[in-house]
Amino acid sequence: MRTLVRRIRIRQGLARVRTGFWPIVQASLAAGAAYLLAQVVLGHDQPFFAAVAAWVCLGFSFERELRRVAEVAVGVAVGVGIGEVIVGLIGTGWWQLTVVLLVSALLARFIDRGPLLVTQAGVQAIVVVGLPAAVANEGAFGRWTDAAVGGLVALAVTLLLPSDPLRRLRSLAYEATTELAETLETVGRGLRQRDMDDLGAALVRGRASEAVLADWRDTARRAEEIARVGVNRAQRGDIHVLAGQAVLVDRAMRSVRLLARRAPTVVGPDGTWPELGLLADEVERFAGGARLLASAVGGGASVEEARAVLVDVAAAADPHAVGGGDLRVASLVVLLRSPVVDALEASGLDPRAAREHLPEL
């Protein structure tokens, strides 16, 4: 189990590296360019705040709304500027830091309602007061001009290289839905082979997928906010669909975890071994449909093929037929029906149409 969890975490970590690689490269290059620009144009020896401002503004993801980047840039400039003025007048120390933080935050609050602006203004003011005087550049506003250069570089990167929220969302959608498929495959294998280890591994895998599912939900929510002002109408529709699918796949995974938790009690709790072949077939077909759904939502392709497979799975989810007269197996089939409906909804069916594909109990 520990090996399985470690493999899952490594795979999820590599996926985060893949999706964050280019944003981090862009932000790193922007920080270096801001540092160089401040050195060449302003003649500063150590333009520390130019690099800081560029990196803080851009961050490490593609979710770069122009307003958010502008908020951070203005916040950095306000904090550094107020810090320079007050330090020049009253020096440094604990009470000077308190005064600088108070004034910077209040001024930022006056300028705009954005929380990022206030936070960055306060943080940068603290850094200005806390840095040794030797780090400061020549001139009364040396560090402020460095911060302004960094903010302008970040704004230029945001304008010239606009973010595509769909790219990150589809990557997360593919990863999370694939986790659902692999969890179902492990459950199906455990049922077919009556393997308690596989059933336990399925539960572990399902729980470990929570980080990816949460990332998908959170990213979808932020992308919807950005889409209101930052992308075209075609993307707004796709983002809204992906946000809804994130909720549905998460719901399906929760139900599959419940199935994996209950399955060991049915496999052979009292020495009897009910027939599980039909149920294993059903779970594995469900896993195949989930894999097709993952490819569709991850690539922005049609979900018709996935929906067709899932419709067949729903039509066969009859506790009386699959259970073979064993109430324990029938109870697992009942548990399977809920995530099948969620998957059908994720494929584009409305809730009523999805439930209509299930046989009557």
Side-chain angles (χ1 to χ4, degrees):
M1 293 300 177
R2 287 194 296 268
T3 301
L4 175 62
V5 172
R6 186 161 54 249
R7 287 203 306 266
I8 293 172
R9 288 178 177 173
I10 290 173
R11 185 176 63 185
Q12 292 175 354
L14 291 174
R16 290 192 296 270
V17 169
R18 285 194 300 270
T19 56
F21 179 77
W22 284 115
I24 290 174
V25 168
Q26 291 176 5
S28 300
L29 291 174
Y35 192 94
L36 178 63
L37 191 61
Q39 279 185 325
V40 173
V41 176
L42 303 179
H44 294 166
D45 294 329
Q46 295 178 313
F48 169 78
F49 278 95
V52 168
W55 173 260
V56 169
C57 289
L58 292 176
F60 55 87
S61 73
F62 276 118
E63 298 161 22
R64 294 171 182 164
E65 183 189 357
L66 184 60
R67 174 183 171 82
R68 188 191 71 84
V69 174
E71 275 186 26
V72 177
V74 173
V76 171
V78 168
V80 174
I82 295 297
E84 288 278 19
V85 170
I86 294 182
V87 167
L89 293 175
I90 60 178
T92 60
W94 71 268
W95 69 270
Q96 289 93 335
L97 185 147
T98 303
V99 172
V100 170
L101 183 56
L102 175 65
V103 174
S104 299
L106 289 175
L107 180 59
R109 195 62 179 163
F110 172 78
I111 293 173
D112 192 78
R113 61 183 175 82
L116 285 173
L117 194 154
V118 179
T119 300
Q120 286 303 320
V123 169
Q124 301 306 321
I126 292 172
V127 174
V128 168
V129 177
L131 275 178
V135 179
N137 292 297
E138 295 180 0
F141 294 98
R143 289 184 286 193
W144 182 84
T145 54
D146 288 343
V149 168
L152 289 173
V153 170
L155 287 171
V157 170
T158 304
L159 289 170
L160 296 175
L161 301 172
S163 63
D164 181 6
L166 280 177
R167 180 177 179 178
R168 169 68 171 158
L169 266 182
R170 284 174 175 158
S171 175
L172 288 170
Y174 175 79
E175 187 179 353
T177 312
T178 299
E179 291 285 354
L180 174 63
E182 291 183 352
T183 303
L184 284 165
E185 288 169 352
T186 309
V187 172
R189 186 170 59 249
L191 290 171
R192 185 175 302 282
Q193 299 176 0
R194 295 182 171 87
D195 190 328
M196 295 292 190
D197 289 338
D198 270 338
L199 294 174
L203 184 57
V204 170
R205 184 183 294 278
R207 287 170 175 168
S209 69
E210 180 58 32
V212 178
L213 289 162
D215 198 7
W216 184 12
R217 293 194 309 270
D218 295 342
T219 302
R221 185 178 63 253
R222 291 193 297 269
E224 282 193 302
E225 294 172 357
I226 294 173
R228 295 191 183 101
V229 295
V231 299
N232 59 44
R233 291 186 179 275
Q235 282 186 319
R236 292 178 191 179
D238 292 338
I239 289 171
H240 181 71
V241 170
L242 283 164
Q245 288 171 330
V247 175
L248 292 166
V249 172
D250 178 54
R251 190 188 302 165
M253 179 63 86
R254 293 174 186 272
S255 298
V256 171
R257 288 204 301 262
L258 177 59
L259 175 67
R261 189 161 52 245
R262 285 290 306 276
T265 67
V266 177
V267 166
D270 55 2
T272 61
W273 298 90
E275 178 53 47
L276 297 171
L278 292 177
L279 177 58
D281 291 340
E282 181 77 352
V283 173
E284 289 169 353
R285 283 196 299 270
F286 186 8
R291 281 204 176 273
L292 291 173
L293 183 63
S295 298
V297 298
S302 171
V303 297
E304 293 297 329
E305 185 179 2
R307 184 187 299 162
V309 173
L310 293 171
V311 165
D312 291 340
V313 173
D318 185 350
H320 304 290
V322 178
D326 191 302
L327 292 179
R328 296 170 299 176
V329 180
S331 69
L332 294 184
V333 180
V334 172
L335 290 177
L336 187 65
R337 289 160 64 98
S338 178
V340 171
V341 170
D342 292 329
L344 280 171
E345 290 184 47
S347 73
L349 291 183
D350 63 76
R352 181 175 181 179
R355 288 193 295 270
E356 286 178 349
H357 289 288
L358 293 172
E360 293 293 334
L361 292 177

